Amino acid sequence: MSEIYPAPEADHDTGDEAEEVDLVTAVNYALHQEMEREESVRMIGYDIGPIGGVFRATQGLLEEYGEERVIDTPLAENGILGTAVGMAMAGERIVPEIQFMGFSYPAFGQFMYAMAKMYDRTGGDIELPMTLRMAYGGGVKALEYHQESTETYYAHTPGVRVVCPSTPYQAKGLLAASIRDDDPVVFLEPKRIYRGGSQAVPTEEYTLPLDEARLVREGEDVTVLTWGAMVRHAVAASDEVDADVEVVDMRSLAPLDVETVLESVKKTGRCVVLHEARRSLGLGAELSALVNEYALDRLKAPVKRATGYDVHFPGHDIEDDYLPDAERAQYAIEAVMNYEF
């Protein structure tokens, strides 16, 4: 496996009460917190009960809140999501879990026809306060359909928010905000960094904005737009290049924080998009189009993308060759820095 860079020591003010946790533990803490806070919050999914989820993200929830609120299901994603939509329509604040993003495709009809469309098709009479959690992305040497990074399918669909954390602190705050939000949310958890180092996270509850990008590192020469597990590669690459790099963690993949993106690129004049999804029609293409439409006159070089390749996610023996890393991010940064019109 290629190198996994540890979580940053801090990307926030933790206050007096904080605990060192990794990202999957931060997810677990957010779920505990929201179930304790709000009686209508319920979980549904395969193996989320006695086992505590395939990654143990729901560990302890069944014992604490009972089987009426932590509903273990058969392995049937279409049924999980369809049932969750019905429960949300009935007033529950439901949190379905799909074990791996590649397993979500059998439920895509429920996502399109019900989850994303219900508010619109009822003229706003029915809200769906639900948060669909999915582990996504590669880098863990798993089997076919366990490594997908097809966030563009979901971000392309109106009517839902798509959120992706990159640190334990972000995970806890963004998940709490997602569960409390009245819009349907797709919450993507980068499993490669589930246990990729710990970070001080406040023990008290808090939320983070769902529609704002995060400035990870300020710079003057080039902007790197990225999210999820790729944020750490972007930061590592920034330390290796002869340029002052600004790294923006998108966090919200839908809606995009257009203001932050354009403000950064207009300042630096250069832009690299780093994501592990396939290149063609990936979210990087939309970000590149956005920059070209509204900041073309500020660009000192064409937008450069560092992405996965236009193939199905490969077997574990060559997945390191498929996934972008700090070296490919560094190459992209140097390419835009050295570009001459």
Side-chain angles (χ1 to χ4, degrees), residues 16-37:
D16 295 330
E17 299 292 335
E19 182 180 351
E20 287 278 336
V21 299
D22 57 24
L23 196 148
V24 71
T25 303
V27 168
N28 180 263
Y29 282 10
L31 295 174
H32 273 281
Q33 168 193 290
E34 293 307 302
M35 292 197 77
E36 182 177 2
R37 175 182 172 274

Side-chain angles (χ1 to χ4, degrees), residues 193-260:
I193 55 174
Y194 260 156
R195 293 181 172 82
S198 61
Q199 181 187 60
V201 171
T203 55
E204 297 296 321
E205 63 179 67
Y206 62 94
T207 61
L208 295 172
L210 292 178
D211 51 5
E212 294 181 12
R214 178 173 70 100
L215 188 58
V216 179
R217 169 182 175 140
E218 290 190 62
E220 299 292 331
D221 295 332
V222 55
T223 298
V224 178
L225 306 175
T226 188
W227 55 92
M230 292 292 109
V231 172
R232 299 180 193 185
H233 286 309
V235 172
S238 301
D239 292 333
E240 299 298 323
V241 297
D242 185 21
D244 193 13
V245 182
E246 183 150 300
V247 177
V248 177
D249 176 6
M250 295 303 299
R251 295 199 300 193
S252 173
L253 308 187
L256 292 171
D257 182 356
V258 173
E259 182 176 351
T260 295

Side-chain angles (χ1 to χ4, degrees), residues 42-319:
R42 300 171 76 184
M43 310 286 158
I44 184 170
Y46 177 64
D47 276 349
I48 67 168
I51 293 177
V54 65
F55 294 104
R56 308 299 182 260
T58 57
Q59 197 162 42
L61 294 174
L62 176 67
E63 293 79 0
E64 190 160 350
Y65 300 104
E67 59 185 13
E68 293 294 319
R69 295 183 64 194
V70 182
I71 305 168
D72 214 315
T73 71
L75 183 57
E77 289 78 12
N78 193 41
I80 292 170
L81 194 53
T83 302
V85 169
M87 293 172 71
M89 292 176 69
E92 303 287 347
R93 200 164 284 272
I94 187 74
V95 186
E97 176 185 298
I98 301 292
Q99 284 189 340
F100 298 91
M101 184 178 235
F103 294 2
S104 69
Y105 308 144
F108 205 70
Q110 295 287 3
F111 170 75
M112 290 293 294
Y113 301 138
M115 181 176 170
K117 187 72 172 176
M118 190 61 69
Y119 182 85
D120 182 76
R121 74 194 306 183
T122 62
D125 288 341
I126 296 179
E127 294 180 327
L128 291 183
M130 58 184 294
T131 300
L132 171 58
R133 296 179 43 248
M134 290 189 283
Y136 96 106
V140 296
K141 310 294 188 189
L143 302 172
E144 186 180 25
Y145 293 119
H146 292 66
Q147 308 268 56
E148 305 284 295
S149 180
T150 50
E151 57 268 35
T152 190
Y153 296 168
Y154 297 93
H156 186 68
T157 306
V160 295
R161 297 180 180 275
V162 182
V163 177
C164 181
S166 62
T167 70
Y169 176 79
Q170 301 296 320
K172 185 180 176 185
L174 289 172
L175 182 54
S178 298
I179 294 172
R180 297 180 193 187
D181 198 86
D182 289 333
D183 296 328
V185 178
V186 176
F187 193 82
L188 302 178
E189 298 169 9
K191 60 180 178 293
R192 186 182 191 185
I193 55 174
Y194 260 156
R195 293 181 172 82
S198 61
Q199 181 187 60
V201 171
T203 55
E204 297 296 321
E205 63 179 67
Y206 62 94
T207 61
L208 295 172
L210 292 178
D211 51 5
E212 294 181 12
R214 178 173 70 100
L215 188 58
V216 179
R217 169 182 175 140
E218 290 190 62
E220 299 292 331
D221 295 332
V222 55
T223 298
V224 178
L225 306 175
T226 188
W227 55 92
M230 292 292 109
V231 172
R232 299 180 193 185
H233 286 309
V235 172
S238 301
D239 292 333
E240 299 298 323
V241 297
D242 185 21
D244 193 13
V245 182
E246 183 150 300
V247 177
V248 177
D249 176 6
M250 295 303 299
R251 295 199 300 193
S252 173
L253 308 187
L256 292 171
D257 182 356
V258 173
E259 182 176 351
T260 295
V261 170
L262 294 181
E263 181 179 337
S264 177
V265 175
K266 287 180 178 178
K267 178 181 71 173
T268 64
R270 302 178 181 87
C271 180
V272 168
V273 185
L274 173 65
H275 65 62
E276 65 178 274
R278 289 186 282 273
R279 179 185 181 87
S280 295
L281 301 178
L283 196 56
E286 175 61 26
L287 288 166
S288 177
L290 176 69
V291 169
N292 280 293
E293 284 185 58
Y294 297 104
L296 181 64
D297 57 345
R298 305 292 186 89
L299 289 180
K300 301 170 185 173
V303 177
K304 185 79 172 175
R305 287 175 286 167
T307 70
Y309 299 111
D310 287 335
V311 297
H312 290 292
F313 197 93
H316 59 81
D317 54 335
I318 58 171
E319 72 172 69

